Amino acid sequence: MRPATTHRASRSIFISSSFKGALGALFFCLYSAAALATGSAKIGTVIWIGYGPFYVADQLDLFKKSGVKVTMQVFTDPALIPPAVTGGSVDGGMITYDQVVSSVSKGSTMRVVQPIDYSNGGDAIVTSVDIKSVKDLKGQKVAYNPLSPSDFLLSYALQSNGLSEKDVKPVNMSPEGVPAAMASGSVKVGVTYEPSVSEVTSMGGGSKFKVLYSSKDAPGLITDVLVFKSEYIKKNPDVVKALIQGYVDGLEYMNKNPAEAAKLIGKVMGISAKEVLEQLPAVYNPSLNEFPKVFDKSKETTSLHTSGAVIAKILKAKGEIKSIPRTEDTYDDSIARALIKK
């Protein structure tokens, strides 16, 4: 709110004590609001069920208490978010960790500041029901988006079953385009994520298509993360802190008010609250106290040190990166850990 312009008067004006109190309170509020205003942030995102806590925080304006104005810029292609972060057209982004590894290996200074979700079946290879195993994909046309989580999941599934991309016929397609392509019969195999996975498997009364392989079969390998460039983190720690706190508050609201949260998430995603509740089990949103499991070294696939090694190996084998970056150079956990201590 912009305060009214005041003019200096040449004569004294008597002000009652009650009015003085009210005026003082007004100036205190204005001063406090100004003190809280730490900045703004434009965050690149895609429509994805795992980003529910941020959607809730945005809809309820939970960032407001930190004095930060957050704008969510929706991208139709997730591959466009990393260059947007690196180039500065957005301040931060919600992307998958394999995109971070790839970007850092090419010189980007983007860093993970927090995990958002682990895909728990939300990413999947969907096929016609006659295809019985991953090995049956040999010789098949497969629709997927190159250099995306879909590409990575497919590569890992093929590699785990003694195949490679040379054994399939790639069809370049966005995740959102997969349902229509499969419905038309132009392809029998597609790789996509929710809500498109559910859209495919529900076609034909649920009798024509199925999930052949999903992120449940590769736990921790597809992790969504919030990223900013290291320079931005150093210059705007309060903004980054506000984003993480917004996630924490949004997740708390989801846990306490699942029905209302589902309505808010559904509004953003363009689906019903019922569909939101059906899709949420496909992802897992870690609590603040669980963040260290992502940053600490361990043999668990939830650790970036473990999943990152697998990711980097595949990316390098595919020629997407020339060298493997140090895992420590892909994240900055300082603000998240400070919040945990607090």
Side-chain angles (χ1 to χ4, degrees), residues 218-233:
L221 286 176
I222 296 182
T223 300
D224 287 282
V225 294
L226 177 64
V227 299
F228 293 90
K229 289 197 296 185
S230 60
E231 300 91 333
Y232 186 90
I233 297 170

Side-chain angles (χ1 to χ4, degrees), residues 5-337:
T5 302
T6 56
H7 299 276
R8 185 181 299 275
S10 59
R11 58 180 181 170
S12 299
I13 300 178
F14 175 78
I15 302 178
S16 69
S17 59
S18 60
F19 183 74
K20 284 181 180 179
L23 189 63
L26 172 62
F27 279 113
F28 175 79
C29 289
L30 291 174
Y31 173 81
S32 298
L36 284 172
T38 57
S40 62
K42 183 186 293 184
I43 307 299
T45 183
V46 293
I47 299 303
W48 167 240
I49 189 68
Y51 299 159
F54 279 112
Y55 295 156
V56 169
D58 187 44
Q59 292 286 298
L60 295 180
D61 204 11
L62 299 180
F63 304 108
K64 187 176 182 179
K65 70 178 184 181
S66 298
V68 174
K69 178 177 175 55
V70 176
T71 302
M72 299 288 181
Q73 182 173 329
V74 177
F75 287 70
T76 56
D77 185 350
L80 298 177
I81 298 179
V85 174
T86 299
S89 59
V90 295
D91 299 307
M94 301 179 194
I95 60 178
T96 48
Y97 184 59
D98 57 291
Q99 291 177 291
V100 179
V101 174
S102 179
S103 298
V104 172
S105 73
K106 298 170 185 175
S108 174
T109 61
M110 72 168 59
R111 300 290 185 265
V112 174
V113 296
Q114 72 153 95
I116 303 175
D117 69 88
Y118 309 137
S119 183
N120 186 40
D123 293 83
I125 300 173
V126 286
T127 69
S128 55
V129 293
D130 60 299
I131 295 176
K132 305 301 181 182
S133 69
V134 172
K135 291 184 178 180
D136 291 337
L137 296 181
K138 189 171 183 177
Q140 292 284 344
K141 290 193 295 183
V142 183
Y144 65 94
N145 188 17
L147 304 179
S148 74
S150 298
D151 188 355
F152 183 75
L153 182 65
L154 175 64
S155 296
Y156 185 78
L158 292 172
Q159 178 182 298
S160 299
N161 286 272
L163 301 175
S164 71
E165 285 190 356
K166 294 180 180 179
D167 293 306
V168 299
K169 301 173 183 177
V171 178
N172 191 329
M173 189 172 296
S174 71
E176 292 77 16
V178 170
M182 296 188 72
S184 70
S186 61
V187 295
K188 296 172 67 174
V189 184
V191 192
T192 185
Y193 50 70
E194 291 290 8
S196 295
V197 171
S198 294
E199 185 178 348
V200 171
T201 56
S202 65
M203 293 190 296
S207 62
K208 294 181 64 177
F209 303 102
K210 67 177 183 179
V211 170
L212 181 73
Y213 187 95
S214 79
S215 49
K216 275 187 178 180
D217 301 300
L221 286 176
I222 296 182
T223 300
D224 287 282
V225 294
L226 177 64
V227 299
F228 293 90
K229 289 197 296 185
S230 60
E231 300 91 333
Y232 186 90
I233 297 170
K234 291 177 182 177
K235 291 180 180 179
N236 305 276
D238 290 339
V239 175
V240 176
K241 178 182 177 182
L243 263 294
I244 298 175
Q245 186 62 56
Y247 166 90
V248 172
D249 294 340
L251 182 58
E252 181 180 8
Y253 186 90
M254 287 173 63
N255 291 333
K256 291 182 177 179
N257 309 279
E260 290 303 313
K263 292 178 183 178
L264 296 172
I265 297 170
K267 182 179 178 182
V268 176
M269 297 185 67
I271 59 178
S272 68
K274 180 176 180 293
E275 290 173 305
V276 170
L277 293 174
E278 290 172 347
Q279 292 181 24
L280 278 174
V283 297
Y284 178 73
N285 295 110
S287 66
L288 179 63
N289 289 331
E290 293 176 294
F291 284 8
K293 292 196 300 184
V294 175
F295 299 117
D296 291 344
K297 291 183 178 180
S298 77
K299 294 182 179 180
E300 299 296 324
T301 52
T302 50
S303 168
L304 297 182
H305 293 271
T306 298
S307 60
V310 177
I311 289 169
K313 183 178 179 181
I314 292 177
L315 292 178
K316 192 171 186 296
K318 291 180 63 176
E320 291 184 20
I321 62 175
K322 294 181 179 179
S323 60
I324 297 176
R326 293 193 323 140
T327 302
E328 291 83 355
D329 293 335
T330 65
Y331 66 83
D332 182 340
D333 59 346
S334 59
I335 296 175
R337 289 189 186 277

